[in-house]
Amino acid sequence: MSRALGRTDVPAVPPPVPPRRRRWAELTGSWRAALRIARRESRRSRKRTALVLAMIALPVLVLAFLAASYDMAELTPQERVDRRLGVADAELRWLADTPVGQDEWGDSWYSRDGDHPATGRVTTAAELTTLLGPGSRVTEIRARLPLTVRGPERDENVEGRVLDLTDPLARGLVRFQAGRAPRQPGEVAVSPDASRRLDLRLGDALVTADRTRAYTVVGLVEFPDDLGPVVALHPGAVPRNDALLESSWLVDVRGTVDAALVSRLNEHGVVVTPRHPTTPTAGSSRMWFGSIRPGDTTDLSTGVLIAGLGLLEVVLLVGPAFAVGVRRRRRDLALVAVAGGDAAQLRRVVLADGVVLGVLGAAAGLVLGVGAAFASRPLVEQYVFGARFGGYRCWPSALLLLGGVAVLTGVLAALAPAWTAARQDVLAGLAGRRTPPPPRGRWLALGLALVAGGAALAAFGATRTSPAVILTGLILGELGLVCCTPTLIGALARLGRVLPLAPRIALRDASRNRAAAAPAICAVMAAVASSVALGGYLTSDGARDARAYQPVLPTGHVLVNPVAPTPLPRPTLAEVTAAARAQLGAGPVAAVQAVTCAPEGDSAGYCYVAPGLPPERACPWLPADDLPAAERRQARADPRCQLHDTDYYGGYVETLVDDGSALPILTGADPAVTAEATAVLRAGGVVVTDPRYLRDGLVSVQVSRVEAGPDQPDTVGELPGYALPAAIGQPRMLLSPSAARQLGLRWSTTGWVIGTPAPPDQDRQERFTTALRSAGPLSVIVEQGAAPRDVSPLLLLLAAAAGLITVGSAGIATALAAAEGRAELSTLAAVGAAPAVRRLLAICQAGVIAGLGSVLGIVAGLGTAAIVLFSVNRRYATSWPLSEPYPFLMPWPVLGVLVLVPMVAMLGAGLFTRARLPIERRLD
């Protein structure tokens, strides 16, 4: 067909692209280009890339290590059952004589009759095999019992497990490392930790502390659920005659443990832990954000806020590296703008650096963290958790969250430089000139508002005792200081005109490069402020506890009591005195005699003996009452109601029988007062340590009896008394022997009180108990006095952490400033500057970062501590019972370290900076 005259071919017009699809294509194309540029830039600037990767990957590595270790340590239900059963089919516990119900794993149970009646008898293997049917086998696993055995230097406490390791069912619970299983009552197997601690080898003798039993070590075994000191005893070594001693049974049945067998055993009061659940399970027991209990929200919010503080610290540390990278690439960014790139595309180019480095840092941290967790698993099992882990796993959901946070860290660190890059002058960027943006007053106003709002919120949280609210206020205040720091740097730079050359240049560079200097200073400030605030609170809290402390005895005195009833004879007063003077350097020693009821006939009884407080001296309110504000003010003003919330004893008064021998050791009274009180006791009277109980020279003694039959009426006796004017220790009433007999009471020795010139150390206490080991285990309580608890190690640890961040931040900022100012150093060399100028300039640059950040951090930390303590004290000012206020004390250990840290940073900058000035040849 011929072409028509005058007709030309018209190209086909493509269909129009929808606006939404076009914008999406432009956005994805822009991000692809930005990510390619970021990848190329990371290869070109390898030192800066390595620095950023290290700062991002290090916290990810630590958290990934913790997450993987925790996931391996948290056994699944199936792993827990396999560890409990070994090679058995099930574990049985006969807990009641009535039908019971249980969950699928046998972890919880309930009585179908609504109560928990105990069996009250000893279960035998024959009874269980009868219930299980023919062909079944059982072996008993006794409840764990504490043992005290002789060690190479002192007595050691170990855990004893009673099981027959010759039975294959019980043998599956342990891992044999050497030797054999105990075959008779005189043989034991020990764990590796017990072997090291007790210095035992195969064939050695293991002797109990009271020397009543000796065992031969025949095996070395490991219990996967306890890697500490454990001793495996033969069942014949512990008589099985106590019905209250709980035990479980491992069973091997013919066939499988099905629902019918579990139901039949439950009908007889037996709880079953099968190897495989007979009912559907609820899935993994790991708690996640969707299954958090309401009571855990406070802990969760506090943890999230602490993690937010750590994230902010990393962002501030990484920020200067991105800021320097943007300045070095200002000509490249200007070319992107000349080629048609708008402000959003320039921001994407810089943000892509954060995305790329965040992904690389997350990947490196996760791989290294999980690898370290797998490699160090045996050490963590032995020295941290004390038990073997389950399978190798790494908690993927937590690692995914960590990776996302790492990428977010990189993006946030690049956010401020990206915003600055989008606002730079294109012509100045093409010419290579610096054009620092003019300071804007709105950032200062925003920073001041955040500081004020954060302080108010922290004060409000302190009055409500809410750590989450306090941390939120601290974060807001810290963000406010971050916003104010650039303005402060500019003000200090203007004051630097009167300084010598090196510090003047250091301040000028910090002012010109605020995008790099401000985050570094803020990172130092945040670390220092946190350590100072926490150190101030801990120091004040320790002093407050020391003021509110109520001693049991005078400082240095010792109270000795038997740990538990024992068939061994108790030591006599002469034996205790001899051991105390030989091992503790003691002075006087007296017996502590507690009152008991004189039983009527063969019935045992209990009685409570206490002094009666005269009604006109009793407080009309009780500490447990929820009083309105008006009544609280009345109670605070009433001299009868001067009760403190730290009163450990409340209204309890310890009643003892004494003839005056124990009185000075228990109360610390001076000799004149002791003589008067002893005279009253020998005359048949009563001595009280609280003068309120003495009225008209008499003390009302009330005896409340609870006999085996109906309750007996209270007995009240008015006895001549004496009140100690100033006694140390808990409230006490000392009855004379004749007064106790008059009230129908008897007494018995429950312990001994020992007077020593100074508190004996742990080694002397152990030698004392060893000298009396024939009487069984003893409890030794040493009164250390009201000295504040030593928080210096924790304070120094906080200061060390803040100092490490300070030195690191100052070093990073100084190195980046030196790389950025290389051209200016060449200019200084050209005009004849001495080589030492470069080193002095590095010292001054480190001093600006570390010094300014430390000063701001100390001021902010002290202010935070003052706000929190003042707010708490305001709440205590209207509370009742009375509360000891927090004193405001300076955390001198922290401040001392933090004052030295800037000097260390400056010294390090001077040592690691070359003095020779660079000389560059320029070609025209």
Side-chain angles (χ1 to χ4, degrees):
M1 178 182 294
S2 61
R3 182 178 299 175
L5 296 175
R7 185 177 177 180
T8 59
D9 291 335
V10 179
V13 179
V17 179
R20 181 177 299 178
R21 183 177 179 184
R22 183 174 66 253
R23 287 194 296 269
W24 174 255
E26 292 174 354
L27 179 63
T28 55
S30 176
W31 270 108
R32 282 198 299 268
L35 291 174
R36 287 198 300 269
I37 294 173
R39 184 182 61 182
R40 182 196 63 187
E41 183 63 24
S42 65
R43 294 177 177 176
R44 291 173 55 184
S45 305
R46 296 187 178 181
K47 293 183 178 180
R48 183 176 64 88
T49 300
L51 176 64
V52 175
L53 287 180
M55 288 188 289
I56 293 178
L58 183 59
V60 174
L61 185 153
V62 174
L63 294 176
F65 174 85
L66 295 177
S69 299
Y70 173 77
D71 195 27
M72 291 186 291
E74 189 74 8
L75 302 180
T76 64
Q78 189 62 56
E79 288 174 339
R80 287 197 298 269
V81 169
D82 291 342
R83 181 166 293 183
R84 287 174 59 181
L85 301 185
V87 297
D89 292 331
E91 180 192 60
L92 307 184
R93 290 174 294 155
W94 201 324
L95 300 177
D97 286 329
T98 58
V100 298
Q102 67 170 78
D103 62 357
E104 65 273 8
W105 295 105
D107 292 330
S108 61
W109 64 280
Y110 59 91
S111 175
R112 297 178 187 175
D113 295 339
D115 54 1
H116 288 69
T119 58
R121 57 184 177 83
V122 176
T123 306
T124 63
E127 291 177 308
L128 288 175
T129 53
T130 302
L131 291 177
L132 295 172
S136 300
R137 295 176 48 251
V138 299
T139 186
E140 185 182 17
I141 308 296
R142 305 270 186 89
R144 304 177 184 182
L145 68 155
L147 292 176
T148 303
V149 297
R150 293 177 59 87
E153 298 180 357
R154 60 179 64 91
D155 293 345
E156 299 283 353
N157 295 319
V158 299
E159 180 182 278
R161 299 196 181 185
V162 183
L163 69 169
D164 185 7
L165 292 179
T166 60
D167 192 314
L169 291 177
R171 192 183 182 91
L173 300 178
V174 301
R175 301 172 183 174
F176 269 88
Q177 297 185 356
R180 59 175 176 82
R183 298 172 183 170
Q184 53 187 358
E187 296 178 343
V188 295
V190 298
S191 66
D193 188 68
S195 174
R196 289 189 297 268
R197 183 174 300 185
L198 302 175
D199 193 19
L200 293 174
R201 301 292 183 271
L202 295 181
D204 290 349
L206 176 67
V207 183
T208 58
D210 56 6
R211 300 184 182 182
T212 58
R213 295 295 302 271
Y215 305 93
T216 302
V217 179
V218 297
L220 189 65
V221 297
E222 177 187 277
F223 289 85
D225 61 337
D226 189 350
L227 301 181
V230 182
V231 175
L233 300 167
H234 189 272
V238 180
R240 193 170 177 272
N241 54 8
D242 190 354
L244 298 179
L245 184 64
E246 294 185 0
S247 62
S248 60
W249 298 79
L250 297 181
V251 302
D252 178 22
V253 300
R254 178 178 296 179
T256 60
V257 179
D258 53 12
L261 178 59
V262 173
S263 178
R264 188 171 75 249
L265 293 173
N266 288 164
E267 290 292 332
H268 291 82
V270 180
V271 178
V272 184
T273 300
R275 179 171 296 279
H276 302 289
T278 57
T279 57
T281 61
S284 176
S285 62
R286 181 185 299 281
M287 292 186 60
W288 195 238
F289 294 110
S291 59
I292 294 175
R293 296 185 294 267
D296 298 334
T297 54
T298 300
D299 295 338
L300 176 64
S301 58
T302 302
V304 170
L305 290 172
I306 293 176
L309 281 173
L311 175 65
L312 178 61
E313 189 70 28
V314 176
V315 168
L316 294 175
L317 287 172
V318 177
F322 285 105
V324 171
V326 168
R327 286 202 305 273
R328 286 192 168 189
R329 298 165 56 193
R330 55 182 177 269
R331 190 173 186 278
D332 296 341
L333 296 174
L335 290 175
V336 173
V338 170
D342 56 9
Q345 290 172 331
L346 291 176
R347 286 194 293 269
R348 292 187 193 120
V349 170
V350 180
L351 290 176
D353 289 346
V355 174
V356 170
L357 295 181
V359 170
L360 292 177
L366 293 177
V367 171
L368 293 176
V370 174
F374 287 172
S376 62
R377 170 172 166 154
L379 297 177
V380 177
E381 290 174 338
Q382 179 69 46
Y383 298 106
V384 179
F385 288 88
R388 295 299 178 195
F389 290 171
Y392 281 87
R393 47 184 177 266
C394 57
W395 201 353
S397 54
L399 298 185
L400 182 63
L401 178 62
L402 289 177
V405 171
V407 176
L408 178 62
T409 301
V411 173
L412 291 177
L415 190 59
W419 191 266
T420 303
R423 295 168 50 203
Q424 76 168 351
D425 187 356
V426 177
L427 295 179
L430 291 174
R433 298 193 306 271
R434 295 182 180 181
T435 56
R440 298 191 176 185
R442 63 185 182 185
W443 288 110
L444 178 61
L446 176 62
L448 294 176
L450 287 175
V451 170
L457 188 60
F460 175 78
T463 59
R464 297 293 185 271
T465 319
S466 174
V469 177
I470 294 175
L471 285 174
T472 303
L474 295 180
I475 292 175
L476 291 178
E478 187 173 320
L479 291 175
L481 292 175
V482 169
C483 296
C484 296
T485 301
T487 303
L488 180 61
I489 294 174
L492 291 177
R494 287 191 292 271
L495 297 177
R497 301 171 183 173
V498 298
L499 297 177
L501 176 63
R504 184 168 69 249
I505 294 177
L507 283 173
R508 185 205 63 184
D509 288 347
S511 178
R512 289 182 176 179
N513 305 326
R514 298 181 193 181
I521 293 174
C522 292
V524 175
M525 177 197 65
V528 172
S530 300
S531 62
V532 170
L534 188 56
Y537 174 79
L538 291 175
T539 304
S540 300
D541 185 59
R544 177 177 180 264
D545 290 345
R547 292 181 182 179
Y549 178 75
Q550 296 181 1
V552 177
L553 297 169
T555 302
H557 290 196
V558 180
L559 183 63
V560 181
N561 295 306
V563 173
T566 174
L568 299 174
R570 289 188 177 184
T572 62
L573 179 60
E575 293 174 340
V576 175
T577 302
R581 291 177 178 173
Q583 307 299 336
L584 304 179
V589 180
V592 177
Q593 302 181 100
V595 296
T596 58
C597 290
E600 297 180 2
D602 295 333
S603 62
Y606 166 78
C607 62
Y608 174 70
V609 184
L613 187 64
E616 67 275 8
R617 298 181 182 179
C619 180
W621 297 282
L622 296 177
D625 295 342
D626 187 11
L627 301 181
E631 294 188 13
R632 285 202 306 269
R633 288 193 295 268
Q634 295 177 13
R636 291 177 61 88
D638 195 330
R640 301 172 299 175
C641 302
Q642 301 304 302
L643 305 177
H644 289 78
D645 59 356
T646 55
D647 187 359
Y648 310 143
Y649 310 109
Y652 173 72
V653 178
E654 183 183 25
T655 303
L656 303 174
V657 176
D658 183 38
D659 59 359
S661 58
L663 185 147
I665 313 175
L666 289 171
T667 62
D670 58 62
V673 173
T674 300
E676 296 178 4
T678 302
V680 172
L681 289 174
R682 291 178 178 175
V686 179
V687 174
V688 291
T689 59
D690 190 345
R692 296 182 303 160
Y693 293 106
L694 183 66
R695 182 177 62 176
D696 299 332
L698 299 176
V699 175
S700 176
V701 181
Q702 299 178 352
V703 180
S704 301
R705 300 177 184 272
V706 181
E707 304 294 344
D711 293 354
Q712 302 295 322
D714 294 349
T715 302
V716 179
E718 297 286 341
L719 300 175
Y722 181 85
L724 298 178
I728 299 175
Q730 70 180 89
R732 292 187 176 94
M733 179 177 65
L734 303 180
L735 296 173
S736 62
S738 59
R741 283 190 292 266
Q742 181 180 346
L743 295 171
L745 302 172
R746 64 175 184 173
W747 57 93
S748 61
T749 300
T750 58
W752 301 268
V753 60
I754 304 171
T756 57
D761 56 20
Q762 187 64 34
D763 184 63
R764 300 179 71 181
Q765 295 177 42
E766 291 176 355
R767 292 203 304 266
F768 171 73
T769 55
T770 302
L772 297 175
R773 67 173 51 169
S774 59
L778 298 174
S779 169
V780 179
I781 301 175
V782 179
E783 180 56 61
Q784 302 290 345
R789 66 177 184 271
D790 187 11
V791 296
S792 298
L794 182 57
L795 295 181
L796 293 177
L797 181 62
L798 292 173
L804 182 62
I805 294 176
T806 300
V807 173
S809 181
I812 292 170
T814 303
L816 293 175
E820 181 68 12
R822 185 177 179 86
E824 294 182 354
L825 293 176
S826 299
T827 303
L828 289 175
V831 298
V837 172
R838 179 178 185 181
R839 180 169 292 170
L840 184 60
L841 179 59
I843 292 175
C844 293
Q845 288 171 336
V848 169
I849 301 299
L852 184 57
S854 296
V855 170
L856 292 176
I858 290 174
V859 173
L862 292 178
T864 300
I867 290 173
V868 171
L869 296 178
F870 176 75
S871 302
V872 174
N873 288 340
R874 281 195 59 188
R875 187 189 64 177
Y876 286 163
T878 59
S879 65
W880 185 84
L882 305 179
S883 298
E884 186 74 27
Y886 284 92
F888 183 75
L889 301 177
M890 301 292 287
W892 292 115
V894 177
L895 296 180
V897 173
L898 294 180
V899 168
L900 296 176
V901 164
M903 300 180 184
V904 174
M906 296 168 66
L907 180 62
L911 291 176
F912 291 99
T913 301
R914 292 183 300 177
R916 185 173 59 87
L917 292 170
I919 298 178
E920 296 180 356
R921 180 178 298 176
R922 296 184 180 181
L923 299 178
D924 296 332

